[in-house]
Amino acid sequence: MSDDSIGRAELQDAARKAFGEGGLGQDPATIWDLIVEMGWLGMTVPEELGGLGLGAEAQGVIHFELGRILAPGPVAAHMMVIEALVKAGRQDLIERAVAGELMTGSLRFATATEAGGTLSGTLNAVPDADTASELLVVTDSRVLLLPIGTNGITLTERPLWDKSRRLFDVTLSGVSADAGVELAGSNTASDLVAALKAHLLFALSADSLGGAEAALDMSVEYLKTRRQFDRPLAMFQALKHRAADMKTILASAEALLWTHASEGRTAPVTQPVKAGALKAHAARVYHAITEEAVQFHGGIGLTEEHQCHLYLKRATLNEALGGGADLWEEQAGRQIAAALLATA
Amino acid sequence: MAEASELETLRNEVRAWLVANAPATWRQESIDPDAFFRIQRDWFLKLVEGGYAVPHWPAEWPGGGRSLAEQKVIYEEMARADTPRLLLSFVSTYHAASTILECASKEQQERYLPAILKGETWCQGFSEPGAGSDLAGLRCRAERRGDVYVINGQKIWSTIAQYADKCLLLVRTSNEKAKQAGMTFLLCDMKTPGITVRPINQIHGDEEFAEIFFDEVEIPVSERIGAEGDGWAVAQATLASERGLTLLELSERMRGALVRIATLIRDTGRLDDAGVMRDFGRLATSVDATCALADQFLAWRIAGEEQVGQASLIKLRYSRVLREFTLLGLRLDDMDAQYHAPITFGGGMETGNWMADFMNSYAWTIAGGSDEVQRNIISERMLAMPREPKNWTIQGDAA
């Protein structure tokens, strides 16, 4: 425990120094270059494959900090692709990806269909597809990596309320499957997809709680500064109690996040479902805190001049990415109930 | 901190001991308070014999000297084995013991601590009708007359005072300075003439609390802990005595009780009801998060990184999730939960009747520092939000 926490604290410190407190509003290229330069894209890549060889906890710290500064860009999708490359042992591609060549994929686990050697379908929620070089494509039986410029692939940007992310619909129409590299075949594809889901859902959980922490800090500071009725708003018990509730749900969600990262507990559910339940919980907490944050800020919270609406928008997007709470909570409920009843 | 392998050895020892010694049918037998307290007393003495009753006491006491990590293992195993919670000896082994160990004289320690291990039980006389969350406002009066204090007044919400042998009593000896400065801490024998105990029926019919009335009750000055006027400081030692560990055990017990809801879902044929499974999955994740927070808190304590307010975070999180837990059971049990059933005394949130469990969950949102008090602590001590001004007037308020 203590060794892990020291590692976590040090990494967090490094990330806060790198991103700075003024990270908000940095342009996507600056953040991307910074992350590449620190080697963080290779955070969980084993050392023999040229990465830092750190575990899920380190991955969590980076996404937590990216969430905290509302970092724009495709880091979560890109690291999911890197995870696929690691599992497939593709060192050549890993090197290119860790060096910053963008590879992207659907943040909704959308799949394509393969028939007669061609791929078709629409992959939604694909970040920064216009600047990416490669696209992760999952079919019923395979996982492929395709150059995004392959004939038959068209990109349509879908502008979001959340301006910190740029998502595309990527349509595949008569795309030759031979244009891609196979990362998993029929024997291993379902395991790989499960691992990628768990990976991304954990990243989204950390992103959510980093954002939630920033939104709560910002709100408490605002309540201390803003004066009405000849006193700081932070003196009113009605507001203090709401802030205390937010702090409490954040603390326990964070404890769950780090427990998940260290695998300290083995829940009776499969990995993606466990990560899905975590994501549903974390995004719910993020939403609750940012919904309160706007209310705490009053009129200024309702304007684009203040930052807190940015957190609210990213929170609701995070609730949807990777599949919503309805999906994951039901799956978790079914698996946990089955496991408990099997041993009861 | 002990090595992981040593903790595993301890875990196996405790588990084996519990298999051989833990009472198996206590829920069925706890049909009335007398049966429940007999079971409690027997179980506590058995734990003393096994060396697991007071792992948090210092090493010079039998069964004491366990590290926090070892205590955690012991409580986890008790939760797992579903042993009776130690309601009867809880105040004795935590609040009384830690107050006596930290603040009492050597002579007082030797008089009271061995008796606790023989089954002497304590209650806590702190709250009053006019002093609940605002404990410093207490008015129960102690007047010094020679070698005795003479007590007049009333205490309330005293857990199982009707079964207690002794009482940790916080009284007012002076009104002259700040409210906190006029308090004194006494150890009181519940058999002293002038004491009347009246059990209070809770909303589910259980008599866990009582009122204590003091009418010219004489307590020798030698039974005072600390100096006259130092009562508030001594009381802080009492209140800080079990930070976190109880909630660790309770969170684990709540996790263990999830199977009760799963069974209810199955028995009512709703394993394929998406809405029900969703609510269950959400609850189970919240319970996981509560356990993770309790674990985290213990890790902070072991690492010496505990901060003011962290214990409040766990208390508040546990109490709210327990409410959600009991409400889901209440809803799923539908009409069946509405039929009155005799409850298992001391079952906590596991009496077997969901309405009773729901009502009992208020014990955790109100007792031991209400949710509102915890929210004050979290906002003022952790988030550094300012306290409200002390002086106020309401227009037209004659007082």
Side-chain angles (χ1 to χ4, degrees), chain A residues 225-242:
Chain A
T225 312
R226 168 83 175 156
R227 296 178 80 92
Q228 290 284 275
F229 308 102
D230 302 320
R231 72 198 66 183
L233 291 180
M235 196 177 270
F236 288 100
Q237 201 179 38
L239 303 180
K240 284 156 75 173
H241 281 197
R242 281 157 58 188

Side-chain angles (χ1 to χ4, degrees), chain B residues 60-80:
Chain B
E60 57 266 33
W61 296 94
R66 299 283 195 182
S67 69
L68 282 168
E70 289 172 324
Q71 293 173 44
K72 175 172 186 265
V73 167
I74 293 170
Y75 288 120
E76 278 174 354
E77 287 306 309
M78 292 208 197
R80 187 178 173 276

Side-chain angles (χ1 to χ4, degrees), chain B residues 32-34 36-37 87 158-163 198-210 343 345-346 360:
Chain B
D32 58 43
D34 287 341
F36 171 62
F37 287 113
L87 281 185
S158 186
T159 304
I160 53 179
Q162 62 273 44
Y163 292 92
R198 191 181 74 86
I200 301 171
N201 277 344
Q202 284 170 253
I203 53 177
H204 54 38
D206 197 346
E207 295 174 354
E208 202 174 302
F209 305 129
I343 65 170
F345 283 81
N360 207 38

Side-chain angles (χ1 to χ4, degrees), chain B residues 173-195:
Chain B
T173 38
S174 162
N175 283 316
E176 277 164 22
K177 295 179 207 143
K179 287 193 291 186
Q180 285 86 345
M183 292 186 200
T184 298
F185 202 111
L186 300 173
L187 304 178
C188 168
D189 189 325
M190 292 296 281
K191 288 184 282 295
T192 316
I195 294 180

Side-chain angles (χ1 to χ4, degrees), chain B residues 15 23 43 62 66 73 78-79 143 278 307 366:
Chain B
R15 197 171 287 186
W43 175 229
R66 299 283 195 182
V73 167
M78 292 208 197
E143 194 189 327
R278 200 171 286 152
Q307 287 169 13
I366 295 175

Side-chain angles (χ1 to χ4, degrees), chain B residues 3-29:
Chain B
E3 291 295 322
S5 62
E6 288 172 25
L7 290 177
E8 272 320 289
T9 308
L10 174 65
R11 189 180 294 284
N12 292 332
E13 279 170 21
V14 178
R15 197 171 287 186
W17 187 86
L18 287 171
V19 167
N21 293 285
T25 53
W26 67 275
R27 284 184 191 285
Q28 293 85 321
E29 290 163 22

Side-chain angles (χ1 to χ4, degrees), chain A residues 179-221:
Chain A
V181 172
E182 184 180 277
L183 300 179
S186 57
N187 291 335
T188 53
S190 62
D191 284 350
L192 178 59
V193 170
L196 296 183
K197 285 183 177 177
H199 181 95
L200 178 65
L201 289 163
F202 175 69
L204 289 169
S205 306
D207 184 279
S208 296
L209 297 181
E213 183 187 89
L216 179 59
D217 287 351
M218 184 185 293
S219 299
V220 170
E221 277 316 302

